[in-house]
Amino acid sequence: MKGIVFTEFLDLVEDKFGLEMVDSIISNSNLKSEGVYTSVGTYEFSEMLQLLNNLSENTNISTDDLLQVYAEHFFSVIKRSYSGILQMYSDPIEMLASIENHIHVEVKKIYPDAELPTFQVLEKTPNLLVLIYKSSRAMHAFGLGLMNKTFEHFNETATIEFEKLNDVATEVKFIIKKN
Ligand code: HEM
């Protein structure tokens, strides 16, 4: 997992819960990196899982809820650092339908070692998009936060439902309806 995901996560934890919480979740984890991240580095995904699980225990907020809020913050990072990609879109459905064939392709050019999910388009009309998310990292809640922010970015809203296709949520179906 790319360092930018860790640095932005710890910034948000500090912002919302304070520096002591950052220290606590790092010291309660067993981290090869010792909790020192640079935005261009690459670190084990298991480090993110430990940090998230510790934060969840300390705050009584589920890891999925934490991931969704984190994704909403991460969208502002995307706006700041990858505005060129966003500017190619004028419609949220078009943008979300293009994660697989365009957006994450561009991300791979920037970070060849990025570990990205796949998003298969099952159905697409101007107001409806059905996607299948697949990733061993089971971060569909991160996807949900980014999807909500994508609609907000274009001054639109949507009703987004999802269905886990297996117990471990490595495959999730999203049904996205523009309001
Ligand atoms: C992961 C970039 C849009 C869904 C990531 C990562 C980056 C990234 C850098 C981390 C990869 C790693 O740590 O190795 C971007 C950029 C975008 C964009 C620059 C737009 C310009 C989206 C959108 C979605 C999305 C709109 C909506 C669903 C995800 C998910 C992950 C991810 C779910 C977590 C990894 C996983 O589930 O396996 N993205 N992304 N991304 N992205 Fe994107």
Side-chain angles (χ1 to χ4, degrees), residues 134-179:
K134 286 190 195 166
S135 166
S136 60
R137 287 161 295 282
M139 288 176 70
H140 70 283
F142 188 79
L144 180 62
L146 290 177
M147 288 176 191
N148 282 327
K149 282 288 169 182
T150 300
F151 278 88
E152 199 181 301
H153 175 71
F154 295 106
N155 294 314
E156 309 235 27
T157 59
T159 305
I160 303 178
E161 289 170 12
F162 64 87
E163 183 192 335
K164 293 180 185 174
L165 301 180
N166 59 19
D167 285 352
V168 283
T170 53
E171 296 192 22
V172 178
K173 182 182 193 177
F174 282 97
I175 300 156
I176 304 159
K177 291 180 191 143
K178 201 189 263 189
N179 292 326

Side-chain angles (χ1 to χ4, degrees), residues 1-6 42-43 45 74-75 77-79 81-86 89 95-96 99 103-104 106-107 110-111 113-119 131 133-147 150 174:
M1 173 158 271
K2 292 311 299 175
I4 190 172
V5 184
F6 288 89
T42 302
Y43 307 89
F45 174 66
F74 197 76
F75 197 85
V77 177
I78 291 176
K79 272 185 160 173
S81 302
Y82 308 100
S83 57
I85 301 178
L86 288 189
Y89 296 94
M95 179 170 147
L96 295 176
I99 302 170
I103 295 177
H104 279 169
E106 293 301 314
V107 173
I110 305 167
Y111 304 118
D113 56 354
E115 296 174 306
L116 297 162
T118 63
F119 282 100
L131 294 177
Y133 163 89
K134 286 190 195 166
S135 166
S136 60
R137 287 161 295 282
M139 288 176 70
H140 70 283
F142 188 79
L144 180 62
L146 290 177
M147 288 176 191
T150 300
F174 282 97

Side-chain angles (χ1 to χ4, degrees), residues 7-166:
T7 55
E8 290 295 337
F9 177 72
L10 292 176
D11 279 357
L12 183 67
V13 173
E14 183 179 344
D15 233 47
K16 301 266 183 210
F17 303 105
L19 198 53
E20 279 163 32
M21 181 66 89
V22 174
D23 286 344
S24 160
I25 63 173
I26 289 175
S27 58
N28 286 311
S29 303
N30 186 1
L31 307 172
K32 220 189 242 176
S33 71
E34 298 183 341
V36 180
Y37 303 102
T38 67
S39 64
V40 291
T42 302
Y43 307 89
E44 286 175 11
F45 174 66
S46 65
E47 297 206 358
M48 178 51 71
L49 263 189
Q50 292 186 67
L51 294 169
L52 260 179
N53 285 330
N54 284 330
L55 183 63
S56 171
E57 265 181 36
N58 289 352
T59 58
N60 277 322
I61 303 172
S62 71
T63 51
D64 278 353
D65 284 355
L66 289 169
L67 270 177
Q68 190 181 332
V69 171
Y70 175 41
E72 290 169 8
H73 165 77
F74 197 76
F75 197 85
S76 65
V77 177
I78 291 176
K79 272 185 160 173
R80 191 175 68 219
S81 302
Y82 308 100
S83 57
I85 301 178
L86 288 189
Q87 276 163 14
M88 299 180 75
Y89 296 94
S90 53
D91 176 83
I93 297 267
E94 289 299 334
M95 179 170 147
L96 295 176
S98 306
I99 302 170
E100 185 68 21
N101 295 334
H102 172 241
I103 295 177
H104 279 169
V105 175
E106 293 301 314
V107 173
K108 268 278 187 197
K109 290 184 194 163
I110 305 167
Y111 304 118
D113 56 354
E115 296 174 306
L116 297 162
T118 63
F119 282 100
Q120 181 195 350
V121 178
L122 277 196
E123 213 181 318
K124 177 173 173 282
T125 73
N127 295 311
L128 171 79
L129 183 65
V130 182
L131 294 177
I132 304 280
Y133 163 89
K134 286 190 195 166
S135 166
S136 60
R137 287 161 295 282
M139 288 176 70
H140 70 283
F142 188 79
L144 180 62
L146 290 177
M147 288 176 191
N148 282 327
K149 282 288 169 182
T150 300
F151 278 88
E152 199 181 301
H153 175 71
F154 295 106
N155 294 314
E156 309 235 27
T157 59
T159 305
I160 303 178
E161 289 170 12
F162 64 87
E163 183 192 335
K164 293 180 185 174
L165 301 180
N166 59 19

